Amino acid sequence: MSFDYDLFVIGGGSGGVRAARIAASEYGARVGLAEESRMGGTCVIRGCVPKKLMIFASQAEGIVEETRGYGWTTADAGAFDWTMFRNKLDAELTRLEGAYTGGLVAADVEIHKQRARLVDAHTVELADGQRLSAKHILIAVGGRPQRPGIEGEELGLISDDLFLMEKLPGRVLVIGGGFIACEFATILQGLGAETVLSYRGNAVLRGFDEEMRRHATEQLRVVGVELKLGTVPAKLEKDGERTRVIWSDGAQESYDAVMFATGRTPNTEGLGLTELGVKLGARGEVVVDEWSQTSVPSIFAVGDVTDRVNLTPVAIREGHSFADTIFGAKPRKVDHGLVASAVYVRPHEVATIGLTEEEAAAKGPHEVYVASFRPMRSLFAGSDARVIMKLLVDAGTKKVTGCHIFGPEAGEMIQLVAIPMGMGATKADFDAAIAVHPTLAEEIVTMRRPTRHIGGAHPDKTVGSA
Ligand code: NDP
């Protein structure tokens, strides 16, 4: 049977673009790709990239304050010009969008700038009614922000809206305690908005190491974000130009803007997947095996739509592995077990890889090495901020099973720690590296004695503590 394409990709985000480009340019596959919005997807257009640029913008006041501690007489950072920043940001995203499109065009991928849905195991239908056939179809449509299902929720913004605002809100409420809530709370506060974060738990970043959660929560408070912990909004209503929030305990307050950062959901609605027999999970995610293959053999899926590890570099690896496996005769699976990530809160980031202390304790005997100190740079400037570095070491094998860093540029540091950890390094391997002095990162190779022992009886100790 002859097909229009060897591969048709639905979705021009990080995972889809990588799969299309590798299949076409490395392996000569005939590839088509449909994207209904801007090329680049969540990460490039309404996620990681604009968010990180906003983080940089939001650091100004903190930097100025620090320079004052070094003898500069600068009064403050001055006024922030949101319109100028937003226009510049849009130009940068347009440049990146062009680079993504250019890469696909150079690889001879045919781009269809419209929505596509599946009609059978080998056919997609475009919004203009055109039907195209392909030997393989890749679903790479990502996810979208999810509101919590309360009355009046349409009055609240989602993260996509933040990059498009006409002006910065005066007083803003961010609802949620995950990656997006924490990052946007520090961004908005740093750009000058009076920011309140409301989270239903008692410390943000559930799922992270508890010690890191405590420090991240405290830092939000220290940088000026007002925390409302243990609270759940029950209803939103209009209050003139503002939005009134009514909490589940009856309390109420009005804000210039309310933003939901209450999780994301896979973008599977209206794609024709269930009609075709493609199995979906409880959250609407496409269920795939270790080769990213769905329950329909010609259809594959990568990235956030599969709800495995929802991070851009993971989607890219999944897309690349799919292309290598199917078109390059180089079978390659993705190991989702050891993935580093960072939450870009300010001024200290939270970065993590491997087991948390709580997970390590549940697994068995572990040594915990913790360095907690005031870094020379901010200490000199008069700040009390502490850096925390933690290594978890399996008491039997002595392998490093987890690393957590709370500090400036922690994301940069964890990327480098991911290399030895991926190679199965032991604590002795870390110790063998001679420190670079004076740096923050040197603490990773200079922690000599365990701070505590967890996870039951230790092989080289008679008694272990929990
Ligand atoms: P998360 O799942 O990380 O956080 C969602 C938050 O919303 C949690 O605090 C959750 O509370 C809360 N929540 C969920 N439902 C409700 C509800 N009905 N009422 C009140 N609160 C609720 O989602 P995000 O949207 O922050 O991020 C989505 C994903 O995007 C992340 O998991 C991550 O993979 C990715 N991401 C990565 C970034 C990075 O690498 N730096 C940056 C941004 C996003 P609870 O904890 O109690 O469940």
Side-chain angles (χ1 to χ4, degrees):
M1 185 177 170
S2 81
F3 297 102
D4 296 319
Y5 296 109
D6 299 314
L7 170 66
F8 196 91
V9 180
I10 307 181
S14 303
V17 167
R18 174 60 67 93
R21 209 165 45 71
I22 297 300
S25 66
E26 300 272 319
Y27 307 125
R30 290 170 304 133
V31 182
L33 181 146
E35 169 57 60
E36 63 178 332
S37 177
R38 295 178 72 177
M39 196 68 79
T42 302
C43 173
V44 177
I45 304 298
R46 56 193 88 86
C48 325
V49 172
K51 179 274 309 281
K52 190 98 191 243
L53 291 168
M54 283 173 90
I55 289 273
F56 293 144
S58 72
Q59 287 169 337
E61 196 58 58
I63 292 170
V64 168
E65 194 178 318
E66 192 174 78
T67 60
R68 283 202 295 268
Y70 278 83
W72 294 91
T73 53
T74 326
D76 58 36
F80 177 62
D81 185 342
W82 167 252
T83 308
M84 178 269 187
F85 174 80
R86 202 198 52 189
N87 292 344
K88 200 168 170 199
L89 181 65
D90 194 51
E92 175 61 3
L93 301 188
T94 301
R95 186 186 71 77
L96 290 170
E97 191 182 358
Y100 268 67
T101 304
L104 289 172
V105 170
D108 284 334
V109 174
E110 278 182 25
I111 298 171
H112 302 272
K113 288 289 293 172
Q114 50 187 316
R115 188 170 168 81
R117 56 182 284 278
L118 289 142
V119 286
D120 67 40
H122 292 283
T123 311
V124 297
E125 185 179 83
L126 301 180
D128 65 6
Q130 194 183 168
R131 289 192 171 199
L132 297 164
S133 64
K135 187 165 183 206
H136 299 95
I137 295 172
L138 182 69
I139 313 289
V141 294
R144 62 174 190 281
Q146 152 186 288
R147 289 182 166 90
I150 59 172
E151 197 181 330
E153 64 178 15
E154 67 286 354
L155 298 172
L157 306 174
I158 51 173
S159 55
D160 298 3
D161 302 323
L162 266 277
F163 309 112
L164 307 169
M165 287 183 303
E166 284 300 318
K167 59 180 174 65
L168 281 175
R171 184 164 166 84
V172 56
L173 174 72
V174 179
I175 300 168
F179 279 80
I180 296 179
C182 292
E183 292 181 343
F184 273 102
T186 52
I187 287 172
L188 288 163
Q189 193 280 337
L191 294 182
E194 233 177 76
T195 307
V196 183
L197 180 138
S198 147
Y199 175 51
R200 61 188 177 185
N202 57 16
V204 296
L205 297 176
R206 189 165 62 82
F208 282 69
D209 186 278
E210 289 292 329
E211 194 171 5
M212 300 294 142
R213 293 182 68 190
R214 280 201 307 278
H215 285 282
T217 308
E218 185 50 28
Q219 176 176 263
L220 284 170
R221 208 189 301 272
V222 167
V223 298
V225 174
E226 184 184 326
L227 294 182
K228 284 173 84 78
L229 299 177
T231 54
V232 184
K235 188 178 168 186
L236 265 55
E237 48 186 44
K238 263 191 131 11
D239 176 15
E241 291 291 295
R242 309 184 89 203
T243 305
R244 184 182 301 117
V245 179
I246 294 135
W247 310 92
S248 51
D249 64 3
Q252 40 181 284
E253 188 180 347
S254 291
Y255 300 88
D256 297 308
V258 174
M259 173 191 164
F260 290 112
T262 44
R264 294 176 60 86
T265 189
N267 241 339
T268 43
E269 256 172 51
L271 274 183
L273 291 166
T274 36
E275 296 86 326
L276 261 179
V278 174
K279 197 171 163 211
L280 300 185
R283 301 195 62 243
E285 77 277 16
V286 179
V287 177
V288 290
D289 67 10
E290 56 198 353
W291 302 102
S292 296
Q293 191 169 29
T294 73
S295 52
V296 174
S298 59
I299 301 177
F300 292 74
V302 295
D304 287 8
V305 75
T306 63
D307 201 20
R308 287 177 280 182
V309 178
N310 298 333
L311 296 170
T312 301
V314 176
I316 290 173
R317 181 63 62 85
E318 288 168 358
H320 201 132
S321 300
F322 158 79
D324 283 348
T325 304
I326 301 298
F327 300 101
K330 286 190 267 184
R332 206 150 72 97
K333 294 182 198 170
V334 177
D335 178 3
H336 292 93
L338 199 59
V339 179
S341 69
V343 191
Y344 299 103
V345 278
R346 189 180 46 77
H348 289 194
E349 300 168 357
V350 179
T352 180
I353 182 167
L355 301 178
T356 64
E357 185 170 342
E358 295 68 37
E359 288 166 343
K363 266 197 180 310
H366 271 76
E367 295 163 356
V368 186
Y369 295 79
V370 185
S372 166
F373 56 97
R374 293 199 288 164
M376 67 191 282
R377 176 175 162 163
S378 52
L379 176 65
F380 185 85
S383 162
D384 284 336
R386 297 192 82 81
V387 166
I388 315 290
M389 295 197 177
K390 180 186 286 194
L391 285 181
L392 297 154
V393 177
D394 184 303
T397 64
K398 302 293 181 192
K399 279 191 179 173
V400 178
T401 57
C403 177
H404 308 276
I405 304 174
F406 175 75
E409 307 293 357
E412 304 288 345
M413 288 188 257
I414 209 77
Q415 178 65 87
L416 301 180
V417 173
I419 300 169
M421 280 187 64
M423 296 166 77
T426 61
K427 180 68 168 60
D429 294 323
F430 274 60
D431 295 345
I434 294 176
V436 180
H437 185 70
T439 62
L440 296 176
E442 68 181 302
E443 295 294 328
I444 289 287
V445 299
T446 55
M447 291 189 264
R448 291 284 167 244
R449 286 178 199 287
T451 310
R452 51 188 174 265
H453 295 85
I454 56 168
H458 280 237
D460 49 358
K461 292 178 98 251
T462 42
V463 184
S465 58

